[in-house]
Amino acid sequence: RTWRARLKIHGRVRALRAFCPTHNPKMEIIQGETGCQSRSDGAGALAGAAWTPIRQAKCLARHMMVDQFLEVKFSSYFSCMDMIEALNGKVGDTASYLDYGYFGVLEANFDKNGFATGEYTPKPSYYALQTIAAIFREEFTYTDLPAQFMRKNSKRLQRDEDSNKEITYGGFRKPNGSAAFVYWKPTELLTTSYEATISLEIAALTGEARLVDLLDGSIYAIPKSFEEKKNNGLRRFTHLPLKDSPLLLTFGKFAE
């Protein structure tokens, strides 16, 4: 989502948090269910849309990060594995039960007759969920970080880089002193695949900087030519990758 849409969602959650204590001071907000399919021929919600396994993974990673922005008590992802929805099943008609939704992060395997074998294979969304759960498994806080984008001209793009208003982003800190800055381009997942670069300045953060791809858990060192350190503690990063799925710029032992 763009920054405008993000502000709208934050406003709704703030209003809900202000309302809940009128009924129960201990009431907390949860995210009850999110998810999408990994193929277009499934049954249930979002059926017929141009979903693919990688688009499902990108959607999962985006939604999980937004949940962290909103500081909900917990997030619920639907679902663990591809399963029969049986939305229109008829008693005694076994074939009518086989309306798979393909929402799972584990893919059901089928035999030549179209029946599930009971075996499952991890999808890209499985590895995205695994990566996010591993990094954010312990105590952390969502917070503003002293960071700002610089819209520089990129030779790779042959144009100026995207402005901050075109990017979704947020910051996190952990008790061990580490921090992380997550960002992505909120393009339409069903119609586009986006790659570009960004540049930013960030202050008062120490420790080795690394870039984590939340889709697959890959961790990249930042080349010296991409980072400039100033005497006043300012760190300038030039032409870092930008994708339509979240990338996490970490400082210190945030992703360990």
Side-chain angles (χ1 to χ4, degrees):
R1 291 178 178 269
T2 64
W3 67 282
R4 293 185 181 88
R6 190 169 73 250
L7 287 175
K8 187 175 181 180
I9 291 177
H10 276 252
R12 289 176 179 173
V13 173
R14 285 197 300 268
L16 187 58
R17 281 204 171 98
F19 178 73
C20 287
T22 64
H23 291 272
N24 184 345
K26 296 182 179 180
M27 188 181 299
E28 297 187 77
I29 298 174
I30 67 170
Q31 189 286 100
E33 181 178 296
T34 188
C36 67
Q37 304 194 21
S38 59
R39 46 195 278 185
S40 63
D41 60 340
L46 309 177
W51 293 112
T52 66
I54 191 63
R55 287 171 178 169
Q56 181 196 43
K58 291 177 179 180
C59 185
L60 181 152
R62 287 184 180 186
H63 282 202
M64 285 303 210
M65 285 297 95
V66 170
D67 287 345
Q68 307 317 311
F69 293 173
L70 299 176
E71 299 179 276
V72 297
K73 181 67 174 179
F74 66 80
S75 301
S76 176
Y77 189 81
F78 184 83
S79 58
C80 176
M81 62 186 69
D82 290 342
M83 59 185 180
I84 297 171
E85 295 284 330
L87 299 175
N88 299 302
K90 297 178 181 179
V91 176
D93 183 3
T94 304
S96 69
Y97 304 161
L98 302 180
D99 50 353
Y100 276 81
Y102 307 112
F103 290 94
V105 297
L106 295 174
E107 179 183 12
N109 297 328
F110 298 89
D111 61 23
K112 62 181 181 180
N113 296 315
F115 290 96
T117 65
E119 300 291 330
Y120 293 87
T121 304
K123 301 179 188 179
S125 57
Y126 174 91
Y127 297 106
L129 183 59
Q130 181 185 58
T131 298
I132 293 169
I135 294 175
F136 292 91
R137 69 187 183 278
E138 298 173 344
E139 186 178 352
F140 65 92
T141 55
Y142 171 64
T143 184
D144 290 329
L145 293 177
Q148 64 178 3
F149 291 99
M150 304 180 297
R151 196 175 186 185
K152 300 178 69 69
N153 186 269
S154 174
K155 290 183 178 180
R156 293 185 65 84
L157 306 179
Q158 292 295 294
R159 62 166 173 81
D160 288 344
E161 294 172 322
D162 297 315
S163 71
N164 66 305
K165 292 184 178 181
E166 300 173 274
I167 300 170
T168 297
Y169 56 90
F172 304 96
R173 290 185 184 272
K174 286 188 175 181
N176 63 6
S178 64
F181 185 76
V182 67
Y183 63 91
W184 70 92
K185 175 85 168 186
T187 56
E188 290 187 356
L189 291 179
L190 298 179
T191 60
T192 61
S193 180
Y194 192 85
E195 291 187 8
T197 65
I198 62 161
S199 299
L200 67 135
E201 291 180 330
I202 196 161
L205 295 182
T206 60
E208 180 185 1
R210 295 182 296 178
L211 195 64
V212 183
D213 189 334
L214 294 184
L215 280 195
D216 60 13
S218 297
I219 301 176
Y220 301 94
I222 306 295
K224 293 182 178 180
S225 60
F226 283 58
E227 180 182 1
E228 181 182 1
K229 295 182 179 180
K230 301 291 186 178
N231 293 331
N232 58 2
L234 186 70
R235 302 171 74 168
R236 180 176 295 164
F237 297 91
T238 306
H239 305 321
L240 295 178
L242 170 65
K243 295 184 177 182
D244 53 0
S245 59
L247 294 170
L248 190 71
L249 181 63
T250 66
F251 299 86
K253 297 182 178 180
F254 192 91
E256 294 186 359

